[in-house]
Amino acid sequence: MDIHMRTSHQRRERDRTNAVLHALLQLGPGAHKSSEIAARTTMQEEEVRRRLLQLFNAKVCYRPRVGYWELCPAPSASPDSPSLVHPSSTPLLDASLLLEVLHSRTEQAVLLHTYSPITGERLCIGAAGAQDARLRRELVGAPRAVDRLRRAPLDSDAPGLVMLANLVGDEAPLRQELRQIRSARIALTEAPLPGWIMVSVPVRRLPGAPAIPGAEPRVVAAVSILAPGHAQGDPVIAYGRLMRNAVQAAVDSSVAIAHPRFAAAQAA
């Protein structure tokens, strides 16, 4: 099986699993029979149960009793832990999984920022690993840094700069710093939290978000590693390579929610 066929198969598989997830989301809170879930898709109940097991293994849903399925509640933050996620964010399953994968592989906090073209700011819309004991302790004592990690001008630090470098056309004039960032597809700066750094890469499309083939923007977001400052050097280069590869793989294999199959499921 060549790469193209394998990728097409992976996308079809993700399409069908995500159709089951969206059926669960449509049914709302509480436990639902597998037959109810199947009725909101174009699949047979046996296949729906198999894909529910995939979501169960990924800890997205659970079985309160035999034959019933329920979405897992979103984890709540510790009351003494400041949230780095901007309150206007809308979570996407595929993007959240990408952040969790990067966190598990780097053992560092991973942040997802997008930008506001109206205010010229970057906004944090997702995080993984922000409950690390050391990081949480330092964030509690630095409320101003929390505010800046959550929301700041685009030219403040790595996530904003890596988006800023890719927002304009190839022929537009850029200062040397931004030209280097666009060429390398990575930015490194000090973080708003003293003693920490941010390593960021651009994202052309959020995994799991709607997409129009051939009309994707140059950049919509940035994924960043938030790490202690002593991690500079080779680990930073490794972080950048890991993030670029993981982001590309996640975008290539993720589902466009605007797929006609989902439209039919939503209309059911």
Side-chain angles (χ1 to χ4, degrees):
M1 181 182 294
D2 62 26
I3 294 175
H4 176 72
M5 292 178 62
R6 185 166 61 247
T7 301
S8 297
H9 174 73
Q10 290 171 343
R11 289 179 178 173
R12 284 195 299 271
E13 288 294 295
R14 290 287 290 273
D15 276 358
R16 298 179 78 78
T17 300
N18 274 270
V20 173
L21 172 61
H22 281 277
L24 258 177
L25 288 169
Q26 289 172 340
L27 287 167
H32 305 285
K33 291 182 178 180
S34 54
S35 58
E36 292 180 281
I37 301 167
R40 289 180 171 265
T41 73
T42 59
M43 290 172 271
Q44 298 295 320
E45 188 174 346
E46 182 178 350
E47 182 179 1
V48 168
R49 283 197 296 267
R50 179 167 62 85
R51 296 183 186 278
L52 284 166
L53 280 173
Q54 293 176 352
L55 295 171
F56 173 82
N57 292 332
K59 299 180 180 179
V60 175
C61 72
Y62 65 99
R63 288 178 291 185
R65 56 189 184 276
V66 176
Y68 287 79
W69 303 84
E70 184 172 356
L71 284 173
C72 293
S76 57
S78 171
D80 62 346
S81 174
S83 173
L84 302 181
V85 178
H86 193 268
S88 66
S89 65
T90 301
L92 292 167
L93 173 65
D94 288 1
S96 297
L97 291 176
L98 168 62
L99 300 185
E100 292 293 345
V101 166
L102 287 171
H103 167 58
S104 67
R105 295 186 65 180
T106 63
E107 298 184 351
Q108 304 289 358
V110 185
L111 307 179
L112 177 65
H113 288 90
T114 189
Y115 65 91
S116 168
I118 298 175
T119 64
E121 294 175 310
R122 57 144 181 80
L123 306 174
C124 185
I125 60 170
Q131 300 304 312
D132 173 78
R134 176 187 174 184
L135 175 59
R136 187 170 69 244
R137 186 169 57 249
E138 296 201 23
L139 289 173
V140 169
R144 183 171 296 182
V146 173
D147 288 341
R148 298 287 287 184
L149 284 166
R150 186 186 299 131
R151 177 177 181 173
L154 274 172
D155 60 356
S156 298
D157 46 35
L161 289 171
V162 84
M163 289 188 285
L164 196 58
N166 289 277
L167 281 172
V168 299
D170 294 335
E171 304 304 320
L174 282 176
R175 64 178 188 262
Q176 184 176 359
E177 176 191 22
L178 293 179
R179 286 201 306 270
Q180 292 173 342
I181 289 173
R182 181 158 67 182
S183 175
R185 294 188 296 128
I186 187 171
L188 164 65
T189 66
E190 293 182 355
L193 186 64
W196 294 66
I197 60 170
M198 297 182 82
V199 186
S200 306
V201 299
V203 180
R204 290 181 58 89
R205 175 169 68 84
L206 289 175
I212 301 175
E216 289 86 355
R218 293 177 179 274
V219 64
V220 297
V223 170
S224 306
I225 297 291
L226 176 63
H230 63 72
Q232 296 191 44
D234 289 342
V236 170
I237 297 174
Y239 286 159
R241 185 180 301 116
L242 171 62
M243 285 192 291
R244 284 196 299 262
N245 292 341
V247 167
Q248 188 63 50
V251 171
D252 286 348
S253 63
S254 71
V255 180
I257 295 176
H259 193 286
R261 183 177 299 155
F262 295 140
Q266 290 171 355

